[in-house]
Amino acid sequence: MNRLFHSMFQKSRHRIHEIKTLFYRVLALLTVGITSSPTLAQLPTMDEPTRGEGSGLMETIQNYLYDAAILGGLIIATVAFYIVGQSALAKYKEASEKGQWGAFGITIVVGIILIVAVIWLATKAAEIL
């Protein structure tokens, strides 16, 4: 009989602990919500797209997509810079070890042409958009 009461007491004590924990969590969320409202008032407003907001929602979304496409072009150009730089460093290491400076020079020239082509294509794509 004692075990039965002990088991029931443990279950009710555990349930009370769960309720207290839930109460404290709700109280913490309310406290954060109440104290953060002055902070939210200080947030900056979102910038409008480079082409302006437009006359309607669809035009504003198109203008934001234009900015995203320009950002994508910049990311592609950055990746091209990284790949050319990585390749040039690998060829430099190979040239310094084996003395094949001609291959290093060709890599540099082709890399510069590639970077210029990527930048030119990204600029043309921005004009077409």
Side-chain angles (χ1 to χ4, degrees):
M1 195 66 150
N2 196 14
R3 287 185 186 180
L4 178 65
F5 287 119
H6 182 67
S7 174
M8 289 174 52
F9 180 71
Q10 288 294 336
K11 287 180 182 178
S12 62
R13 207 161 95 186
H14 180 69
R15 185 74 178 146
I16 290 172
H17 178 69
E18 287 178 351
I19 292 171
K20 281 170 63 176
T21 304
L22 179 64
F23 173 74
Y24 288 135
R25 287 181 182 173
V26 169
L27 185 65
L29 284 173
L30 287 174
T31 304
V32 168
I34 290 170
T35 59
S36 67
S37 60
T39 306
L40 293 176
Q42 302 298 321
L43 290 176
T45 58
M46 193 165 126
D47 290 340
E48 64 181 45
T50 55
R51 289 181 168 180
E53 285 195 16
S55 60
L57 180 64
M58 288 304 292
E59 194 172 330
T60 303
I61 290 173
Q62 287 174 347
N63 292 342
Y64 277 118
L65 289 175
Y66 170 78
D67 288 347
I70 297 297
L71 180 63
L74 289 172
I75 290 171
I76 290 171
T78 303
V79 169
F81 269 101
Y82 177 75
I83 290 172
V84 167
Q86 186 178 14
S87 175
L89 286 173
K91 282 294 182 177
Y92 176 77
K93 180 181 177 189
E94 184 180 314
S96 65
E97 290 174 354
K98 297 180 181 177
Q100 298 174 343
W101 292 100
F104 173 68
I106 291 172
T107 302
I108 295 297
V109 169
V110 170
I112 291 171
I113 292 170
L114 177 68
I115 288 173
V116 169
V118 166
I119 292 173
W120 180 75
L121 287 172
T123 306
K124 286 296 178 188
E127 290 174 7
I128 293 171
L129 287 176

